[in-house]
Amino acid sequence: MTANPSHKGVEYWTKRISEQEMPALCSTVRDLEKLAKDDVSSLSLLGRSVMHDNALTSRILRVANSATYNKGINQVSTVSRAAVVLGFDTIRNICLTARLLSSLLENHNLSDNVFQRLLKLMGQSFHAAMIARMMLNERDESLREEVFIATLLYRIGESAFWSMGGDLADALDAKLLNTENSVEQLNLIRSELGTSFNQLTQGIARSWGLGDTLLKALNNPDERMPEIRCIFLADKLAESIAQPDLDPQGFQKRLQQAADMLDIKVEEFNQRLIRCNQVTHKLAIDYGAKALVDYIPNTEKVFEKLDAPQPEAMLREANLTVQLNKLRELTGFAINKTDFNQVMQTALEGVFSGVGVDRCGVLLLTPNRKMLQPRVVMGDDAETMKTTFVIELTDHQSIFAQCIEQKKPQWVHQTPTSESSKLTASNAVEHLSREGFLIAPLMVNTKVLGVFYADRHASFRKFEQVDFDAFTHFSQLANICFSVSMT
């Protein structure tokens, strides 16, 4: 690849990447983005776009069956079935991510230095995408997936350029290594390419039809819309974590901005960031991109190197004022028919902030009533709860099965040592609080649909009788509201 002054510019590089260097990826992306929103008519087209590539299909199914996406549902064995179970948009984005990672990672014609730069950049982008997804944990799944893809592609122009390799890439890499000043690096890139990497990303985004969210994030990074702000902050956080000479003050500034956006304390956000990092490593492997793991630094160790205070569990004490306010809201819902989800959200808020727990959630029964799966979770470790709290009900002696059969709240004082023989919870056993937990049936009239769950897992605190009574009060009043809402 040689530099031709008359050909420099965003249009030249966009065309070259799309038509000469990465035509297969460009074609797949365009096909995926053009698929109709009508799931039924698009399923066959989606299947045809990947069925000729066994390796790609294998990656897609591995991710679809991973803890991040498959919440205890039976394993899926076809892309079409995965789309039915997880939703068309989700499986389309998984397909897009798998194709992107494989296309960029499988270019073996790069020099060692350029390939290392590409791996670092891709690891950073994948980490940023997972951080952005985590930051929108309480939002709709379709929005989380849209933001994940937009963040993953936020530096696609730069990634695509390095993946081409050649003399110009090698020369530019060497020059950048000898230039520490970021402004000088930007000027150097513009001088060599006739455009910036950001502009190249915009060109590719428009040419490949990558969606409005990505273009908005690129053109207006300071936009106050939550999804756009998430993309910007996640990219900056991942970039900071990836730097060997991390700037403590700059990193802390970004952490505070992210915490403020989510309206939580920075210590709690730090916890979420550490757990997100662990999930990111696992998902990269599921995508067949194990090579990226070494380029996604362990966030917990980053905090340790900074000699910063380690994130501590938030000690949420019982708050009678919050309890009273939330109980009043639920009483109003019982009088005036209210949406099922609103009742569930309010009850959990009362348990979380009123009773004072580290985490809580609603687990709903699967159609065959043989398993409990997370529906809504709150608090510390919420992301992990969503992927690990899958409770099997094969043993009728288990605490969860008894709670459902007897239709009574249960207070497990300690687990797993004293209660392990009564617990059948698949991979959730190891994630249950050793200090005990509270569960109560979620009911509509006399039918149990699931359970409420609460514990103090992170702070290692035990429950008292007053806590159990308050938890029971919230669950029983919520059940009255559920029955009214379903009438």
Side-chain angles (χ1 to χ4, degrees), residues 45 62 98 168 190 196 208 223 260 273 300 314 321 372 382 428 451 465 477:
L45 294 174
R62 194 160 56 240
L168 179 58
R190 187 178 291 277
S196 67
W208 294 10
E223 171 68 50
D260 290 344
L273 197 61
E300 189 169 15
M314 302 294 293
T321 300
L372 287 164
V451 300
Q465 183 64 47
L477 184 52

Side-chain angles (χ1 to χ4, degrees), residues 147-168:
V147 168
F148 174 90
I149 288 295
T151 312
L152 181 69
L153 298 173
Y154 196 65
R155 295 174 182 252
I156 183 60
E158 185 175 357
S159 298
F161 172 79
W162 294 119
S163 73
M164 291 190 293
D167 295 338
L168 179 58

Side-chain angles (χ1 to χ4, degrees), residues 326-327 330-331 333-334 343-344 346-348 351 355 362 403 406-410 439-446 450-453 465 467-484:
K326 293 301 176 181
L327 288 170
L330 289 173
T331 301
F333 296 162
V343 174
M344 184 166 52
T346 301
L348 287 178
V351 171
V355 179
V362 164
C403 176
Q406 298 174 11
K407 301 179 182 179
K408 293 181 179 179
Q410 301 282 347
I439 55 176
L442 186 158
M443 302 170 58
V444 173
N445 295 318
T446 60
V451 300
F452 289 96
Y453 175 93
Q465 183 64 47
D467 302 320
F468 180 58
D469 292 342
F471 173 78
T472 300
H473 193 173
F474 273 107
S475 66
Q476 291 176 338
L477 184 52
N479 287 339
I480 293 174
C481 297
F482 291 139
S483 298
V484 171

